[in-house]
Amino acid sequence: MPFGGHQQICNSKIWSKLPYYHLLPMRMYKFVLKIFGETDAKITSLQEIKETGISITDFKYFLKENKYKIEKEDYYLINPSYEVKFHIKPKKLPKIINIPYLRDFYTTAYYCLVKLQDAK
């Protein structure tokens, strides 16, 4: 996701608005944060977020492997929370671009309701 690294919490006006750079290799990511003046505490926090991140594809695989069923799901091109943060109206991901693996890069929010499958 473009802001999956929560880089909007950066102090740098530039780096807080740039998408995707959390996908850099960890050493490069830490270097970029450091040269743009982020504190050691902020860098540690952002590293933890990066290390615990999971793609939509991996999340869905995890659910399947652990016998969960997706009851309902919504993908957003424009995250509903952006309405409060940036005054931008939410927009669901059009079906035509809801392509597995690729959607992991341009989906800004994914919500789903899951249920444990019935044991048989």
Side-chain angles (χ1 to χ4, degrees):
M1 295 177 187
F3 292 93
H6 296 261
Q7 60 267 40
Q8 64 271 19
I9 68 169
C10 289
N11 296 323
S12 167
K13 297 286 184 203
I14 295 170
W15 290 101
S16 67
K17 305 222 177 349
L18 287 177
Y20 298 110
Y21 71 92
H22 64 286
L23 300 176
L24 291 169
M26 186 61 84
R27 292 180 82 198
M28 190 179 297
Y29 183 60
K30 285 173 58 176
F31 176 75
V32 165
L33 293 170
K34 189 75 167 173
I35 64 170
F36 279 90
E38 298 305 326
T39 64
D40 288 341
K42 182 76 58 98
I43 292 170
T44 298
S45 177
L46 289 164
Q47 279 181 264
E48 289 172 0
I49 292 167
K50 178 178 172 58
E51 289 169 347
T52 59
I54 185 170
S55 68
I56 297 167
T57 301
D58 288 346
F59 176 71
K60 291 175 88 164
Y61 176 80
F62 173 83
L63 291 176
K64 185 177 180 180
E65 287 295 303
N66 288 282
K67 310 291 189 249
Y68 284 87
K69 179 181 173 194
I70 297 172
E71 295 284 306
K72 182 177 178 3
E73 61 185 347
D74 288 313
Y75 300 87
Y76 284 87
L77 192 57
I78 299 175
N79 191 327
S81 72
Y82 291 178
E83 189 164 18
V84 173
K85 292 180 184 178
F86 309 117
H87 307 289
I88 301 171
K89 294 282 183 200
K91 180 166 179 52
K92 286 192 177 181
L93 190 70
K95 290 191 188 301
I96 195 163
I97 63 170
N98 191 344
I99 303 163
Y101 299 102
L102 291 179
R103 68 178 168 225
D104 288 346
F105 292 96
Y106 46 75
T107 299
T108 61
Y110 172 66
Y111 299 99
C112 69
L113 177 64
V114 298
K115 176 181 165 185
L116 188 58
Q117 291 179 4
D118 295 330
K120 293 182 181 182

